[in-house]
Amino acid sequence: MAETVAANAHRKVRRIGSIYEPLKLSILQRDDEPLWEKLDRFYSSVKATILNYQSPTTGLFPVKTCSTCKEAKVRDSLYCAAGAWSLALAYRRIDDDMGRTHELEHSAIKCMRGILYCYMRQADKHVVMESPAVGVCAQAD
């Protein structure tokens, strides 16, 4: 019993290491402050950990946050776009957003367009894949 608890705790520790530096939830949860201040803190966290790394040309988010990394995965980009879109919806509920709703929505839209563009560039591989051939495959990343 003790071995399984230790093994589960070890798995959880390994999962914490993310490329987008994880935020401590205790910092983000305060009950005594107004809604707009909470949203501003969430916005500053999203801006620092997600939006600053979006590619200006494709709109996709990198796998690693180092300056030399040029790879992007669809899954990571979808999660980043969903985070930006959900914060934009929260800002839309309040009126005084200082243009942040527009920035967050367009960041998510640009990411989704980048994913669609990458899939469209691989359309010829999908047509070829209907007939089985060795060495022809579409990239999901």
Side-chain angles (χ1 to χ4, degrees):
M1 178 71 176
E3 294 173 4
T4 59
V5 172
N8 288 338
H10 182 66
R11 279 190 221 135
K12 288 180 183 178
V13 170
R14 283 196 329 215
R15 240 185 271 155
I16 290 174
S18 173
I19 59 166
Y20 299 103
E21 300 175 18
L23 301 170
K24 294 183 180 178
L25 293 177
S26 61
I27 296 172
L28 297 176
Q29 295 177 350
R30 295 182 188 161
D31 295 330
D32 58 340
E33 66 181 342
L35 176 65
W36 61 85
E37 289 182 10
K38 286 182 183 180
L39 287 178
D40 287 342
R41 277 193 299 107
F42 280 121
Y43 174 77
S44 63
S45 299
V46 167
K47 181 81 170 172
T49 57
I50 295 175
L51 296 182
N52 286 339
Y53 298 107
Q54 187 173 21
S55 170
T57 54
T58 62
L60 300 176
F61 295 93
V63 175
K64 296 180 182 173
T65 56
C66 62
S67 61
T68 60
C69 183
K70 304 259 188 237
E71 295 178 8
K73 291 195 175 189
V74 173
R75 182 191 65 213
D76 295 342
S77 294
L78 283 175
Y79 288 149
C80 292
W85 187 260
S86 61
L87 188 58
L89 291 180
Y91 264 115
R92 192 185 292 173
R93 298 194 104 186
I94 61 173
D95 292 331
D96 188 21
D97 62 354
M98 298 176 282
R100 293 179 177 177
T101 303
H102 180 77
E103 178 187 10
L104 291 164
E105 285 176 347
H106 283 276
S107 174
I109 290 169
K110 185 172 187 170
C111 177
M112 298 306 287
R113 284 184 179 163
I115 292 170
L116 180 63
Y117 178 72
C118 290
Y119 279 156
M120 287 172 35
R121 290 188 63 186
Q122 295 182 16
D124 58 333
K125 291 182 182 179
H126 290 286
V127 172
V128 174
M129 279 178 44
E130 291 176 0
S131 62
V134 178
V136 177
C137 64
Q139 297 177 357
D141 300 336

